[in-house]
């Protein structure tokens, strides 16, 4: 009887071992299958934005986070705000990140853009030669433009219909001056490249503070001349290109990008960007 019980127990034990081995092999096969299962191809999102967000390095920090979280590949087209907005009117971009509020509002009114939200701000500053031939300082940007014209100092303009260019033209209009001549140098380029030209030409130039801080170490001939004026705030908005008017846009990922830019985690990243390298934030989150 004991002998029969021993063999019966041994038989059950062997069955359990074989079953465990089988399950282990099955689990390993399942795990291998899951491991080798290909990841879905990322979708593509076209972002039209300003050169300042590119030149400052901010997008290099934000976009990888968005891409990883949403399995999206962002194609960035960094141009002047005017060109970015024009891409929106033609349906050539999915989402816009720009800084020319009046022109942005026109795009929303026309129905070409929707879901417009404030993201961040910094400010415009006027930088110029360290020997300061116009003798300007303080906060009064209008007086500075007038003085630069009077002494015929070099002034470098982007001339590219960007948000910064639009701001500059608004100041010239406010002081009733039509800039022209050899001392008014148009680059037709982005903020970083235009700052380099101002540095070479010993000229004054209006710039956003973020690009200035990011490029300052290479601009050895320039310094800040005017800053802090109440009219120099530089506000950035994000918005979707309207899918009801432009049916080829990637509206699903565009909406995700808008929400990503205004969520609290991204806003904290924006506010901290630049502090380690420059001792101050390059952009500030926008609170009501």
């Amino acid at each position: 009887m004991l002998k029969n019980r021993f063999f019966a127990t041994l038989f059950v034990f062997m069955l359990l071992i074989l079953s465990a081995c089988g399950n282990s092999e099955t689990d390993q096969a399942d795990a291998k299958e899951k491991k080798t299962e290909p990841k879905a191809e990322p979708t593509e999102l076209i972002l039209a934005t300003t050169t300042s967000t590119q030149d400052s390095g901010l997008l290099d920090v934000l976009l990888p986070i968005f891409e990883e979280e949403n399995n999206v590949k962002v194609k960035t087209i960094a141009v002047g705000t005017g060109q970015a907005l024009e891409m929106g009117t033609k349906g050539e971009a999915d989402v816009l990140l720009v800084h020319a509020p009046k022109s942005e509002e026109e795009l929303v009114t026309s129905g070409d853009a929707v879901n417009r939200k404030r993201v961040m701000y910094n400010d415009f500053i006027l930088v110029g030669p360290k020997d300061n031939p116009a003798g300007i300082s303080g906060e009064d940007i209008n007086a500075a433009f007038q003085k630069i014209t009077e002494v015929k100092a070099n002034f470098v303009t982007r001339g590219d219909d960007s948000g910064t260019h639009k701001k500059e033209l608004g100041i010239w209009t406010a002081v009733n001056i039509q800039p022209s001549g050899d001392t008014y140098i148009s680059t037709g380029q982005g903020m970083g490249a235009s700052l380099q030209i101002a540095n070479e030409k010993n000229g004054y130039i209006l710039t956003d503070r973020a690009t200035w801080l990011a490029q300052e170490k290479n601009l050895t001939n320039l310094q800040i001349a005017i800053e802090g004026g109440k009219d120099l705030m530089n506000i950035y908005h994000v918005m979707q290109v309207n899918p009801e008017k432009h049916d080829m846009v990637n509206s699903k990922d565009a909406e995700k990008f808008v929400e990503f830019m205004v969520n609290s985690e991204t806003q904290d990243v924006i506010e901290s960007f630049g502090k380690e390298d420059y001792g101050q934030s390059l952009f500030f989150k926008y609170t009501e």
Side-chain angles (χ1 to χ4, degrees), residues 99-148:
H99 63 136
K102 185 177 179 180
S103 297
E104 296 164 21
E105 290 164 5
E106 292 171 359
L107 205 69
V108 173
T109 300
S110 70
D112 288 297
V114 294
N115 198 20
R116 175 174 175 257
K117 295 186 179 182
R118 276 186 290 208
V119 176
M120 59 192 182
Y121 72 94
N122 57 16
D123 62 343
F124 291 108
I125 56 177
L126 183 70
V127 302
K130 288 183 175 178
D131 61 356
N132 196 11
I136 56 177
S137 62
E139 299 181 0
D140 193 338
I141 190 68
N142 289 357
F145 272 45
Q146 289 173 322
K147 188 65 176 177
I148 290 168

Short mmCIF file of all heavy atoms in Angstrom, two decimals, residues 99-148:
data_model
loop_
_atom_site.label_atom_id
_atom_site.label_comp_id
_atom_site.label_asym_id
_atom_site.label_seq_id
_atom_site.Cartn_x
_atom_site.Cartn_y
_atom_site.Cartn_z
N HIS A 99 3.81 85.15 -31.73
CA HIS A 99 3.77 86.26 -30.77
C HIS A 99 3.46 87.59 -31.45
O HIS A 99 4.24 88.55 -31.36
CB HIS A 99 5.08 86.34 -29.96
CG HIS A 99 6.31 86.63 -30.79
ND1 HIS A 99 7.26 87.54 -30.41
CD2 HIS A 99 6.73 86.15 -31.98
CE1 HIS A 99 8.23 87.59 -31.30
NE2 HIS A 99 7.93 86.76 -32.28
N ALA A 100 2.33 87.65 -32.10
CA ALA A 100 1.85 88.90 -32.69
C ALA A 100 0.34 88.94 -32.46
O ALA A 100 -0.46 88.62 -33.35
CB ALA A 100 2.18 88.98 -34.17
N PRO A 101 -0.10 89.32 -31.24
CA PRO A 101 -1.51 89.19 -30.84
C PRO A 101 -2.53 89.76 -31.82
O PRO A 101 -3.54 89.12 -32.10
CB PRO A 101 -1.56 89.91 -29.49
CG PRO A 101 -0.19 89.71 -28.93
CD PRO A 101 0.73 89.80 -30.12
N LYS A 102 -2.29 90.95 -32.35
CA LYS A 102 -3.27 91.56 -33.24
C LYS A 102 -3.45 90.72 -34.50
O LYS A 102 -4.58 90.46 -34.94
CB LYS A 102 -2.83 92.97 -33.62
CG LYS A 102 -3.86 93.71 -34.46
CD LYS A 102 -3.41 95.15 -34.74
CE LYS A 102 -4.45 95.87 -35.61
NZ LYS A 102 -4.03 97.27 -35.91
N SER A 103 -2.35 90.26 -35.08
CA SER A 103 -2.43 89.43 -36.29
C SER A 103 -3.03 88.07 -35.99
O SER A 103 -3.75 87.49 -36.83
CB SER A 103 -1.03 89.26 -36.90
OG SER A 103 -0.51 90.51 -37.30
N GLU A 104 -2.76 87.54 -34.80
CA GLU A 104 -3.33 86.26 -34.40
C GLU A 104 -4.86 86.36 -34.32
O GLU A 104 -5.59 85.46 -34.76
CB GLU A 104 -2.77 85.85 -33.04
CG GLU A 104 -1.29 85.58 -33.02
CD GLU A 104 -0.75 85.58 -31.60
OE1 GLU A 104 -1.55 85.38 -30.65
OE2 GLU A 104 0.46 85.79 -31.42
N GLU A 105 -5.33 87.46 -33.73
CA GLU A 105 -6.77 87.66 -33.59
C GLU A 105 -7.45 87.71 -34.96
O GLU A 105 -8.58 87.21 -35.13
CB GLU A 105 -7.04 88.95 -32.82
CG GLU A 105 -6.66 88.85 -31.35
CD GLU A 105 -6.56 90.21 -30.67
OE1 GLU A 105 -6.89 91.23 -31.34
OE2 GLU A 105 -6.15 90.26 -29.50
N GLU A 106 -6.76 88.30 -35.94
CA GLU A 106 -7.32 88.35 -37.30
C GLU A 106 -7.46 86.95 -37.88
O GLU A 106 -8.43 86.65 -38.59
CB GLU A 106 -6.41 89.19 -38.20
CG GLU A 106 -6.40 90.68 -37.83
CD GLU A 106 -5.35 91.47 -38.59
OE1 GLU A 106 -4.60 90.85 -39.38
OE2 GLU A 106 -5.27 92.70 -38.38
N LEU A 107 -6.52 86.07 -37.54
CA LEU A 107 -6.57 84.69 -38.04
C LEU A 107 -7.74 83.93 -37.41
O LEU A 107 -8.41 83.13 -38.07
CB LEU A 107 -5.25 83.98 -37.74
CG LEU A 107 -4.90 82.80 -38.65
CD1 LEU A 107 -4.56 83.30 -40.04
CD2 LEU A 107 -3.71 82.02 -38.08
N VAL A 108 -7.98 84.19 -36.15
CA VAL A 108 -9.11 83.55 -35.47
C VAL A 108 -10.44 84.09 -36.04
O VAL A 108 -11.38 83.32 -36.30
CB VAL A 108 -9.04 83.80 -33.95
CG1 VAL A 108 -10.31 83.29 -33.26
CG2 VAL A 108 -7.81 83.11 -33.36
N THR A 109 -10.51 85.40 -36.26
CA THR A 109 -11.72 86.01 -36.81
C THR A 109 -12.04 85.47 -38.20
O THR A 109 -13.20 85.25 -38.54
CB THR A 109 -11.55 87.55 -36.88
OG1 THR A 109 -11.33 88.05 -35.56
CG2 THR A 109 -12.79 88.21 -37.46
N SER A 110 -10.99 85.22 -38.99
CA SER A 110 -11.19 84.70 -40.35
C SER A 110 -11.60 83.23 -40.35
O SER A 110 -12.01 82.69 -41.39
CB SER A 110 -9.91 84.86 -41.18
OG SER A 110 -8.90 83.98 -40.72
N GLY A 111 -11.48 82.58 -39.21
CA GLY A 111 -11.85 81.17 -39.11
C GLY A 111 -10.73 80.22 -39.48
O GLY A 111 -10.94 79.00 -39.54
N ASP A 112 -9.52 80.74 -39.69
CA ASP A 112 -8.40 79.87 -40.05
C ASP A 112 -7.76 79.23 -38.83
O ASP A 112 -7.03 78.23 -38.97
CB ASP A 112 -7.35 80.67 -40.83
CG ASP A 112 -7.80 81.01 -42.23
OD1 ASP A 112 -8.02 80.08 -43.03
OD2 ASP A 112 -7.96 82.21 -42.54
N ALA A 113 -7.98 79.78 -37.65
CA ALA A 113 -7.39 79.23 -36.44
C ALA A 113 -8.43 79.14 -35.33
O ALA A 113 -9.35 79.96 -35.27
CB ALA A 113 -6.21 80.09 -35.97
N VAL A 114 -8.27 78.13 -34.49
CA VAL A 114 -9.18 77.93 -33.36
C VAL A 114 -8.36 77.54 -32.13
O VAL A 114 -7.17 77.27 -32.23
CB VAL A 114 -10.22 76.82 -33.66
CG1 VAL A 114 -11.15 77.23 -34.78
CG2 VAL A 114 -9.51 75.49 -34.01
N ASN A 115 -9.03 77.52 -30.99
CA ASN A 115 -8.42 77.03 -29.75
C ASN A 115 -7.15 77.80 -29.41
O ASN A 115 -6.12 77.23 -29.06
CB ASN A 115 -8.12 75.53 -29.87
CG ASN A 115 -7.91 74.85 -28.53
OD1 ASN A 115 -8.31 75.37 -27.48
ND2 ASN A 115 -7.26 73.70 -28.55
N ARG A 116 -7.22 79.12 -29.50
CA ARG A 116 -6.05 79.98 -29.23
C ARG A 116 -5.91 80.19 -27.72
O ARG A 116 -6.85 80.59 -27.05
CB ARG A 116 -6.23 81.31 -29.94
CG ARG A 116 -5.16 82.35 -29.66
CD ARG A 116 -5.37 83.57 -30.54
NE ARG A 116 -4.45 84.67 -30.26
CZ ARG A 116 -4.75 85.76 -29.57
NH1 ARG A 116 -6.00 85.91 -29.07
NH2 ARG A 116 -3.86 86.70 -29.38
N LYS A 117 -4.71 79.92 -27.21
CA LYS A 117 -4.49 80.05 -25.78
C LYS A 117 -3.14 80.70 -25.50
O LYS A 117 -2.16 80.48 -26.20
CB LYS A 117 -4.54 78.67 -25.11
CG LYS A 117 -5.91 78.01 -25.20
CD LYS A 117 -5.96 76.72 -24.42
CE LYS A 117 -7.36 76.10 -24.50
NZ LYS A 117 -7.46 74.85 -23.70
N ARG A 118 -3.11 81.52 -24.43
CA ARG A 118 -1.86 82.15 -24.03
C ARG A 118 -0.95 81.11 -23.38
O ARG A 118 -1.39 80.31 -22.56
CB ARG A 118 -2.14 83.29 -23.05
CG ARG A 118 -2.49 84.58 -23.74
CD ARG A 118 -2.61 85.73 -22.77
NE ARG A 118 -3.79 85.60 -21.93
CZ ARG A 118 -4.44 86.63 -21.39
NH1 ARG A 118 -4.01 87.85 -21.61
NH2 ARG A 118 -5.49 86.45 -20.64
N VAL A 119 0.32 81.16 -23.75
CA VAL A 119 1.28 80.18 -23.25
C VAL A 119 2.29 80.81 -22.30
O VAL A 119 2.51 80.31 -21.19
CB VAL A 119 2.04 79.53 -24.43
CG1 VAL A 119 3.12 78.58 -23.92
CG2 VAL A 119 1.08 78.79 -25.35
N MET A 120 2.90 81.91 -22.71
CA MET A 120 4.02 82.45 -21.95
C MET A 120 4.30 83.88 -22.42
O MET A 120 3.70 84.37 -23.38
CB MET A 120 5.27 81.58 -22.18
CG MET A 120 5.68 81.51 -23.64
SD MET A 120 6.92 80.22 -23.95
CE MET A 120 7.19 80.45 -25.72
N TYR A 121 5.22 84.52 -21.72
CA TYR A 121 5.63 85.85 -22.16
C TYR A 121 7.08 86.10 -21.74
O TYR A 121 7.62 85.46 -20.83
CB TYR A 121 4.72 86.94 -21.56
CG TYR A 121 4.92 87.18 -20.08
CD1 TYR A 121 5.78 88.18 -19.64
CD2 TYR A 121 4.25 86.41 -19.13
CE1 TYR A 121 5.97 88.40 -18.28
CE2 TYR A 121 4.44 86.62 -17.78
CZ TYR A 121 5.31 87.61 -17.36
OH TYR A 121 5.50 87.82 -16.02
N ASN A 122 7.70 87.01 -22.42
CA ASN A 122 8.93 87.65 -21.93
C ASN A 122 8.82 89.11 -22.35
O ASN A 122 7.72 89.65 -22.35
CB ASN A 122 10.21 86.95 -22.41
CG ASN A 122 10.32 86.85 -23.91
OD1 ASN A 122 9.62 87.51 -24.68
ND2 ASN A 122 11.23 86.00 -24.37
N ASP A 123 9.91 89.75 -22.72
CA ASP A 123 9.77 91.13 -23.16
C ASP A 123 10.74 91.44 -24.29
O ASP A 123 11.70 90.71 -24.54
CB ASP A 123 9.96 92.11 -22.00
CG ASP A 123 11.35 92.03 -21.38
OD1 ASP A 123 12.05 91.02 -21.60
OD2 ASP A 123 11.73 92.96 -20.66
N PHE A 124 10.43 92.51 -25.01
CA PHE A 124 11.34 93.02 -26.03
C PHE A 124 12.33 93.95 -25.36
O PHE A 124 12.01 94.64 -24.38
CB PHE A 124 10.57 93.81 -27.10
CG PHE A 124 9.68 92.96 -27.96
CD1 PHE A 124 8.29 93.02 -27.83
CD2 PHE A 124 10.22 92.12 -28.93
CE1 PHE A 124 7.47 92.25 -28.64
CE2 PHE A 124 9.39 91.35 -29.74
CZ PHE A 124 8.01 91.42 -29.60
N ILE A 125 13.53 93.98 -25.90
CA ILE A 125 14.55 94.92 -25.43
C ILE A 125 15.23 95.51 -26.66
O ILE A 125 15.21 94.93 -27.74
CB ILE A 125 15.60 94.24 -24.53
CG1 ILE A 125 16.25 93.06 -25.26
CG2 ILE A 125 14.98 93.81 -23.22
CD1 ILE A 125 17.36 92.37 -24.47
N LEU A 126 15.81 96.69 -26.48
CA LEU A 126 16.60 97.29 -27.54
C LEU A 126 18.06 97.15 -27.14
O LEU A 126 18.48 97.59 -26.07
CB LEU A 126 16.26 98.77 -27.71
CG LEU A 126 16.99 99.48 -28.86
CD1 LEU A 126 16.47 98.99 -30.22
CD2 LEU A 126 16.82 101.00 -28.75
N VAL A 127 18.84 96.49 -27.99
CA VAL A 127 20.27 96.37 -27.74
C VAL A 127 21.02 97.19 -28.78
O VAL A 127 20.50 97.46 -29.87
CB VAL A 127 20.74 94.90 -27.73
CG1 VAL A 127 19.98 94.10 -26.70
CG2 VAL A 127 20.58 94.27 -29.11
N GLY A 128 22.24 97.58 -28.44
CA GLY A 128 23.00 98.41 -29.36
C GLY A 128 24.48 98.41 -29.03
O GLY A 128 24.92 97.72 -28.10
N PRO A 129 25.26 99.16 -29.78
CA PRO A 129 26.71 99.19 -29.60
C PRO A 129 27.11 99.61 -28.18
O PRO A 129 26.45 100.45 -27.58
CB PRO A 129 27.17 100.23 -30.62
CG PRO A 129 26.05 100.34 -31.61
CD PRO A 129 24.80 100.07 -30.84
N LYS A 130 28.19 99.05 -27.71
CA LYS A 130 28.65 99.37 -26.36
C LYS A 130 29.09 100.83 -26.24
O LYS A 130 29.03 101.41 -25.14
CB LYS A 130 29.77 98.42 -25.95
CG LYS A 130 29.25 97.01 -25.66
CD LYS A 130 30.35 96.09 -25.17
CE LYS A 130 29.75 94.72 -24.80
NZ LYS A 130 30.79 93.76 -24.34
N ASP A 131 29.53 101.43 -27.36
CA ASP A 131 29.89 102.85 -27.27
C ASP A 131 28.67 103.77 -27.36
O ASP A 131 28.78 104.98 -27.19
CB ASP A 131 30.90 103.22 -28.36
CG ASP A 131 30.38 103.01 -29.77
OD1 ASP A 131 29.25 102.49 -29.93
OD2 ASP A 131 31.09 103.37 -30.73
N ASN A 132 27.48 103.18 -27.62
CA ASN A 132 26.18 103.86 -27.55
C ASN A 132 26.18 105.23 -28.24
O ASN A 132 26.00 106.28 -27.59
CB ASN A 132 25.78 104.02 -26.08
CG ASN A 132 24.29 104.34 -25.90
OD1 ASN A 132 23.50 104.26 -26.85
ND2 ASN A 132 23.92 104.71 -24.69
N PRO A 133 26.37 105.27 -29.57
CA PRO A 133 26.45 106.55 -30.28
C PRO A 133 25.19 107.41 -30.15
O PRO A 133 25.28 108.64 -30.26
CB PRO A 133 26.68 106.12 -31.73
CG PRO A 133 26.19 104.72 -31.82
CD PRO A 133 26.48 104.12 -30.49
N ALA A 134 24.04 106.79 -29.88
CA ALA A 134 22.81 107.57 -29.72
C ALA A 134 22.63 108.08 -28.30
O ALA A 134 21.73 108.89 -28.02
CB ALA A 134 21.60 106.74 -30.13
N GLY A 135 23.45 107.62 -27.38
CA GLY A 135 23.37 108.09 -25.99
C GLY A 135 22.05 107.77 -25.32
O GLY A 135 21.52 108.59 -24.56
N ILE A 136 21.51 106.59 -25.57
CA ILE A 136 20.19 106.24 -25.03
C ILE A 136 20.30 105.29 -23.85
O ILE A 136 21.25 104.51 -23.74
CB ILE A 136 19.30 105.62 -26.13
CG1 ILE A 136 19.98 104.39 -26.75
CG2 ILE A 136 18.97 106.64 -27.20
CD1 ILE A 136 19.15 103.66 -27.78
N SER A 137 19.29 105.34 -22.98
CA SER A 137 19.21 104.43 -21.83
C SER A 137 17.82 104.55 -21.23
O SER A 137 17.02 105.39 -21.64
CB SER A 137 20.27 104.79 -20.78
OG SER A 137 20.04 106.10 -20.28
N GLY A 138 17.53 103.69 -20.26
CA GLY A 138 16.25 103.76 -19.57
C GLY A 138 15.18 102.88 -20.17
O GLY A 138 15.46 101.81 -20.70
N GLU A 139 13.91 103.34 -20.12
CA GLU A 139 12.76 102.55 -20.54
C GLU A 139 12.04 103.11 -21.75
O GLU A 139 11.22 102.41 -22.36
CB GLU A 139 11.76 102.45 -19.39
CG GLU A 139 12.28 101.78 -18.13
CD GLU A 139 11.21 101.69 -17.05
OE1 GLU A 139 10.08 102.16 -17.29
OE2 GLU A 139 11.51 101.16 -15.96
N ASP A 140 12.30 104.34 -22.14
CA ASP A 140 11.49 105.01 -23.16
C ASP A 140 11.93 104.59 -24.57
O ASP A 140 12.85 105.16 -25.15
CB ASP A 140 11.61 106.53 -23.02
CG ASP A 140 10.56 107.28 -23.83
OD1 ASP A 140 10.03 106.70 -24.81
OD2 ASP A 140 10.27 108.44 -23.50
N ILE A 141 11.24 103.60 -25.12
CA ILE A 141 11.61 103.06 -26.42
C ILE A 141 11.32 104.06 -27.54
O ILE A 141 12.07 104.14 -28.52
CB ILE A 141 10.87 101.72 -26.68
CG1 ILE A 141 11.42 101.00 -27.93
CG2 ILE A 141 9.38 101.91 -26.79
CD1 ILE A 141 12.83 100.48 -27.78
N ASN A 142 10.26 104.85 -27.41
CA ASN A 142 9.94 105.83 -28.45
C ASN A 142 11.02 106.91 -28.55
O ASN A 142 11.47 107.26 -29.66
CB ASN A 142 8.59 106.49 -28.16
CG ASN A 142 7.42 105.54 -28.36
OD1 ASN A 142 7.61 104.39 -28.77
ND2 ASN A 142 6.21 106.00 -28.10
N ALA A 143 11.46 107.41 -27.42
CA ALA A 143 12.51 108.42 -27.42
C ALA A 143 13.81 107.85 -27.98
O ALA A 143 14.57 108.55 -28.68
CB ALA A 143 12.74 108.93 -26.00
N ALA A 144 14.06 106.57 -27.70
CA ALA A 144 15.27 105.93 -28.20
C ALA A 144 15.27 105.86 -29.72
O ALA A 144 16.28 106.16 -30.38
CB ALA A 144 15.41 104.53 -27.61
N PHE A 145 14.13 105.47 -30.31
CA PHE A 145 14.03 105.38 -31.78
C PHE A 145 14.24 106.76 -32.41
O PHE A 145 14.89 106.90 -33.45
CB PHE A 145 12.68 104.80 -32.18
CG PHE A 145 12.66 103.29 -32.25
CD1 PHE A 145 13.24 102.51 -31.27
CD2 PHE A 145 12.05 102.65 -33.32
CE1 PHE A 145 13.22 101.12 -31.33
CE2 PHE A 145 12.03 101.26 -33.40
CZ PHE A 145 12.61 100.49 -32.40
N GLN A 146 13.67 107.78 -31.79
CA GLN A 146 13.84 109.14 -32.31
C GLN A 146 15.30 109.57 -32.27
O GLN A 146 15.83 110.14 -33.23
CB GLN A 146 12.98 110.12 -31.49
CG GLN A 146 11.49 109.96 -31.73
CD GLN A 146 10.66 110.82 -30.79
OE1 GLN A 146 10.99 110.98 -29.62
NE2 GLN A 146 9.57 111.40 -31.31
N LYS A 147 15.99 109.28 -31.17
CA LYS A 147 17.38 109.67 -31.02
C LYS A 147 18.28 108.93 -32.01
O LYS A 147 19.20 109.52 -32.59
CB LYS A 147 17.83 109.39 -29.58
CG LYS A 147 19.21 109.94 -29.25
CD LYS A 147 19.26 111.46 -29.30
CE LYS A 147 20.60 111.99 -28.87
NZ LYS A 147 20.70 113.46 -28.98
N ILE A 148 18.01 107.65 -32.21
CA ILE A 148 18.79 106.86 -33.18
C ILE A 148 18.68 107.46 -34.57
O ILE A 148 19.67 107.56 -35.32
CB ILE A 148 18.30 105.39 -33.18
CG1 ILE A 148 18.70 104.70 -31.87
CG2 ILE A 148 18.87 104.62 -34.38
CD1 ILE A 148 18.04 103.36 -31.64
#
